């Protein structure tokens, strides 16, 4: 099998040579002529039953060749048989809950916090007719009942970079399928399916697209599970637009290089932030104490490019002092982004639940981009140094590390 960088460049492009084209065609058709209506009907039936490809796409809600190329490429990178793309990461989460918990008649979900705020809210709201029990990663077995249709976890977790041992949770889940949100790690750093995850989910809006200009989601899994997800996608209409499929497929080609470069900068920035007098706790898997279970170098091949830190100043004031870093939600773009989870991405998670799972009110989340690391540091340092010590308000370095969890 080819190396990862080679697969990222060539995956899902097997048919291009025969088509005589270099770039993957962007097929915007909403409908496809079926001069033989009997054959067209058979294709429609096969697609409605969940096949990956039929003799005709028939209609764009059933199949799209541009999206299908992206799905093939992503499955290759995750080491799964197939993948199924959706119109957003949340549409993908919804489809997994529908396929695993609702369709199976097991409407109970066990979830490990913290999770992306939208996922947390979806599971807590009962909107899909499921009931959710939140459990610590080592207590998942206790939370499972005969009604449990799905276990959900995220690692590294959004927003505090907690690490979860996937195979340990899979072992506790037994026969219950486990969904791992792999958005932060990307397939470059982690392949949850190789640790027993049933569903590997990505918000493609983040690193896969990689340029902040496409919304999408994708789930990598076995062929059987993918067929059920496609059935859900066809009836709910949660399809990815072909332009989204095109952009995310293109994004995969540079994914390893982008993640590796941003990760290098994140390691350096995490180290410097941990020394900064205006900073409290820094969270990044590269830092001492961040990986008690020893997952880095095994399950997680690198610490990734998202970090988080607390400050003693109001997070909003720190963000206001930045000029280069983009103050915005989302992550995994070419530019460095910063946001205040308690105010934005995790606003809908009750504050008591946030603090119970290690998301302090004054935590800022940074998605490190591809700018020169010194420029990113200068911006952070300038904003933080506006609140420089000298007034005795800050603890000294020794007291700070002793008081921090890590
Ligand atoms: C953004 C995000 C999602 C949701 O994805 P959308 O594309 O915004 O719907 C899910 N999980 C994680 C970890 C995310 O960061």
């Amino acid at each position: 099998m080819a190396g990862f960088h080679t697969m990222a460049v060539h995956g899902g492009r097997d048919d291009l040579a025969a088509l005589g084209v270099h770039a993957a065609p962007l097929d915007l058709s909403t409908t496809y002529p079926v001069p033989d209506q009997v054959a067209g009907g058979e294709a429609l039936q096969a697609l409605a039953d969940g096949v990956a490809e039929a003799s005709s796409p028939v209609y764009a809600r059933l199949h799209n060749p541009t999206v299908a190329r992206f799905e093939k490429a992503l499955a290759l990178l995750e080491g799964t048989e197939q993948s199924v793309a959706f119109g957003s990461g949340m549409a993908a989460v919804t489809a997994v809950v529908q396929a695993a918990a609702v369709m199976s008649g097991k409407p109970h979900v066990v979830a490990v916090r913290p999770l992306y705020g939208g996922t947390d809210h979806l599971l807590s709201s009962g909107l899909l007719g499921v009931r959710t029990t939140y459990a610590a990663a080592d207590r998942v077995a206790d939370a499972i009942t005969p009604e449990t249709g799905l276990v959900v976890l995220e690692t590294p977790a959004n927003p505090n970079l907690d690490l979860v041992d996937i195979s340990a949770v899979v072992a506790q889940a037994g026969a219950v399928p486990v969904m791992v949100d792999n958005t932060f790690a990307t397939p470059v750093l982690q392949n949850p399916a190789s640790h027993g995850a049933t569903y590997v989910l990505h918000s493609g809006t983040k690193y896969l697209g990689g340029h902040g200009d496409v919304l999408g989601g994708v789930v990598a899994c076995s062929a059987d599970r993918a067929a059920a997800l496609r059935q859900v996608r066809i009836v709910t209409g949660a399809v990815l637009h072909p332009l989204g499929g095109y952009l995310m497929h293109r994004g995969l080609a540079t994914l390893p290089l982008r993640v590796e470069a941003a990760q290098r900068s994140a390691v350096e920035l995490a180290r410097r932030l941990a020394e900064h007098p205006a900073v409290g706790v820094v969270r990044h898997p590269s830092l001492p104490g961040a990986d008690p279970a020893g997952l880095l170098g095994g399950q997680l091949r690198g610490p990734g490019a998202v970090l988080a830190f607390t400050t003693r100043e109001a997070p909003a004031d720190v963000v206001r002092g930045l000029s280069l870093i983009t103050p915005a939600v989302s992550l995994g773009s070419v530019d460095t982004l910063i946001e205040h989870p308690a105010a934005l991405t995790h606003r809908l998670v009750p504050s008591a639940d946030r603090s119970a799972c290690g998301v302090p009110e004054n935590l800022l989340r940074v998605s490190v981009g591809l700018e020169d690391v010194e420029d990113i540091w200068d911006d952070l340092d300038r904003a933080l140094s506006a609140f420089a010590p000298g007034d005795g308000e800050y603890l000294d370095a020794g007291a700070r590390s002793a008081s921090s969890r890590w």
Side-chain angles (χ1 to χ4, degrees):
M1 191 162 67
F4 192 88
H5 292 73
T6 305
M7 292 193 292
V9 169
H10 289 279
R13 296 172 193 273
D14 304 350
D15 66 331
L16 300 191
L19 292 172
V21 298
H22 179 59
L26 171 53
D27 183 342
L28 294 171
S29 303
T30 54
T31 193
Y32 294 82
V34 277
D36 181 339
Q37 300 265 300
V38 174
E42 283 162 6
L44 186 148
Q45 185 66 55
L47 290 165
D49 290 341
V51 300
E53 202 172 347
S55 60
S56 167
V58 184
Y59 183 61
R61 181 157 44 74
L62 310 185
H63 182 86
N64 177 271
T66 305
V67 172
R69 286 190 195 91
F70 162 65
E71 291 171 332
K72 278 191 190 131
L74 192 276
L76 190 65
L77 298 186
E78 283 293 4
T80 58
E81 288 176 336
Q82 295 184 356
S83 85
V84 185
F86 294 89
S88 69
M90 287 313 302
V93 175
T94 299
V96 170
V97 172
Q98 286 167 328
V102 180
M103 281 168 72
S104 71
K106 293 188 172 184
H108 178 242
V109 176
V110 175
V112 179
R113 275 180 164 145
L115 295 168
Y116 171 67
T119 306
D120 193 298
H121 184 58
L122 177 75
L123 294 176
S124 303
S125 67
L127 183 66
L128 299 174
V130 294
R131 192 170 55 77
T132 299
T133 302
Y134 292 97
D138 56 355
R139 304 301 298 273
V140 165
D142 301 339
I144 288 177
T145 76
E147 290 270 275
T148 308
L150 182 66
V151 172
V152 174
L153 71 93
E154 239 175 72
T155 180
N158 187 351
N160 68 359
L161 289 305
D162 269 1
L163 301 182
V164 177
D165 185 334
I166 296 168
S167 44
V169 172
V170 166
Q172 292 179 72
V176 179
V178 176
M179 182 193 105
V180 175
D181 188 326
N182 203 31
T183 299
F184 271 39
T186 82
V188 179
L189 302 178
Q190 181 172 270
N191 294 119
S194 70
H195 302 282
T198 319
Y199 299 100
V200 180
L201 182 134
H202 291 274
S203 168
T205 313
K206 317 295 169 53
Y207 286 102
L208 307 187
H211 296 72
D213 56 7
V214 54
L215 195 67
V218 64
V219 182
C221 55
S222 69
D224 283 357
R225 300 277 180 186
L229 288 172
R230 281 188 293 265
Q231 289 175 355
V232 168
R233 184 176 65 179
I234 286 171
V235 293
T236 60
V239 292
L240 176 64
H241 190 274
L243 180 57
Y246 177 90
L247 288 171
M248 289 199 282
H249 192 190
R250 185 170 74 169
L252 292 184
T254 55
L255 178 69
L257 297 180
R258 286 185 283 107
V259 168
E260 287 153 9
Q263 172 177 262
R264 262 195 307 280
S265 295
V267 169
E268 180 61 19
L269 293 168
R271 192 184 64 72
R272 293 189 194 183
L273 281 166
E275 301 285 312
H276 200 286
V279 170
V281 179
V282 183
R283 298 195 170 173
H284 189 247
S286 67
L287 294 173
D291 178 28
L295 300 171
L296 194 56
Q299 172 187 301
L300 184 63
R301 293 185 288 271
V306 183
L307 59 86
F309 63 96
T310 60
T311 67
R312 298 189 59 173
E313 291 304 322
D317 292 341
V318 175
V319 172
R320 225 174 273 121
L322 295 163
S323 54
L324 175 72
I325 296 173
T326 309
V329 298
S330 201
L331 57 106
S333 189
V334 286
D335 56 327
T336 299
L337 298 158
I338 193 166
E339 66 106 13
H340 179 205
L344 293 161
T345 49
H346 292 69
R347 187 184 192 96
L348 300 182
V349 182
S351 68
D353 293 334
R354 279 198 304 263
S355 53
C357 68
V359 181
E361 294 301 295
N362 60 344
L363 190 77
L364 284 167
R365 189 190 74 190
V366 180
S367 165
V368 177
L370 300 178
E371 303 92 337
D372 293 290
V373 66
E374 294 303 336
D375 292 332
I376 306 172
W377 175 249
D378 286 350
D379 200 31
L380 281 170
D381 184 38
R382 204 174 302 121
L384 289 165
S385 299
F387 313 109
D391 55 7
E393 200 193 333
Y394 295 96
L395 304 172
D396 64 37
R400 200 172 57 247
S401 57
S403 68
S404 78
R405 204 175 117 214
W406 293 345

